[in-house]
Amino acid sequence: MTIEVTDVRKEYPSRAGGKRATTVAVAGASFVLAPGRTVGIVGESGSGKSTLGRLVLSLEQPTSGSVTLDGLDLSHATRGERRAFRKRVQPVFQDPRSALNWKHSIREIVTEPLRNVGVSKANANANAAELLDQVQLPSTVLARKPRDLSGGMLQRVAIARALALKPEYLVCDEVLSALDVSIQAGIVNLLLGLQRETGLAMLFISHDLDVVRHISDDILVMNQG
């Protein structure tokens, strides 16, 4: 069971000097993400890290090359295969303040993935406290709204939501950059602990080489795609 990225290229149409042109965001990336391991992707802003993460999540399709999960090329997956893929591969984005719905309670946020796949509201709610316990938050947080929580707590809520469907892979895109330095170590330790307990594989995207070195089994450095 692996995610394999093979010679992936991503181009976007652009204009230069009034003429049609092409911007290359990812240029021939290849790696394997195996169960229980962490692949770290590090590079400066604009190097293509987040685009590569979106390709792995199948939020965008590559211009060429392939992203496969257990041999299934996601560019040619059926709707049912994509639905199954979403359960197995979950994202945690950079800024939880923009990734979470501020009109909903924390209970509604962390149980939304379960309700989206047909789990009853009662059964989903029964799992809510366990999800918060996994990310070391008290169950009293469930009744609160995102505006009531700190940035570090919100990122833990985002991780809890990602864990709701018991995924095998997490794609963590700059999950520390919106947090105070004093909070970052706690999130890193949380992710490492979850990996030990559940065997999660992680794609960890960051511009911070020290953090990537600490959390990763394998490291890729991106520069201009």
Side-chain angles (χ1 to χ4, degrees):
M1 297 187 294
T2 59
I3 290 177
E4 295 189 33
V5 176
T6 305
D7 199 23
V8 161
R9 183 178 182 89
K10 181 62 179 178
E11 301 175 355
Y12 296 100
S14 60
R15 301 189 74 86
K19 297 181 180 180
R20 290 183 179 178
T22 299
T23 298
V24 178
V26 178
S30 298
F31 63 90
V32 174
L33 179 56
R37 294 184 67 82
T38 298
V39 171
I41 299 179
V42 67
E44 61 188 9
S45 297
S47 61
K49 305 186 303 297
S50 291
T51 300
L52 183 55
R54 291 177 65 83
L55 291 169
V56 171
L57 287 164
S58 200
L59 297 176
E60 298 191 41
Q61 300 305 313
T63 305
S64 62
S66 65
V67 179
T68 64
L69 175 60
D70 298 346
L72 172 67
D73 188 336
L74 299 174
S75 295
H76 306 297
T78 64
R79 178 179 292 184
E81 288 168 337
R82 286 187 177 279
R83 190 179 300 117
F85 169 82
R86 301 278 181 227
K87 292 181 181 180
R88 297 178 64 187
V89 185
Q90 284 286 305
V92 184
F93 294 113
Q94 176 176 352
D95 186 0
R97 291 180 174 84
S98 60
L100 305 179
N101 190 328
W102 283 56
K103 294 181 180 180
H104 290 174
S105 69
I106 302 304
R107 184 188 305 276
E108 291 171 312
I109 288 170
V110 299
T111 59
E112 180 183 16
L114 293 168
R115 290 182 280 110
N116 285 345
V117 298
V119 176
S120 70
K121 183 176 180 180
N123 287 339
N125 287 342
N127 289 327
E130 180 183 346
L131 287 168
L132 285 198
D133 185 61
Q134 281 189 279
V135 297
Q136 301 168 13
L137 287 176
S139 60
T140 52
V141 169
L142 290 170
R144 299 167 72 179
K145 295 286 184 71
R147 64 173 178 270
D148 301 323
L149 305 184
S150 67
M153 293 176 76
L154 287 176
Q155 196 59 286
R156 289 174 185 265
V157 169
I159 294 169
R161 182 179 65 175
L163 295 173
L165 297 177
K166 301 186 186 306
E168 299 162 43
Y169 303 86
L170 284 186
V171 177
C172 301
D173 186 6
E174 293 282 11
V175 296
L176 305 179
S177 62
L179 305 178
D180 292 339
V181 174
S182 59
I183 304 298
Q184 292 179 4
I187 298 296
V188 169
N189 289 333
L190 171 64
L191 291 171
L192 289 172
L194 288 169
Q195 187 174 53
R196 286 192 298 269
E197 293 168 11
T198 67
L200 270 170
M202 291 191 292
L203 183 65
F204 190 86
I205 299 167
S206 178
H207 63 276
D208 190 326
L209 182 56
D210 288 336
V211 172
V212 169
R213 183 184 294 118
H214 176 68
I215 201 171
S216 304
D217 298 295
D218 305 291
I219 299 174
L220 292 85
V221 179
M222 291 195 73
N223 179 39
Q224 296 182 348

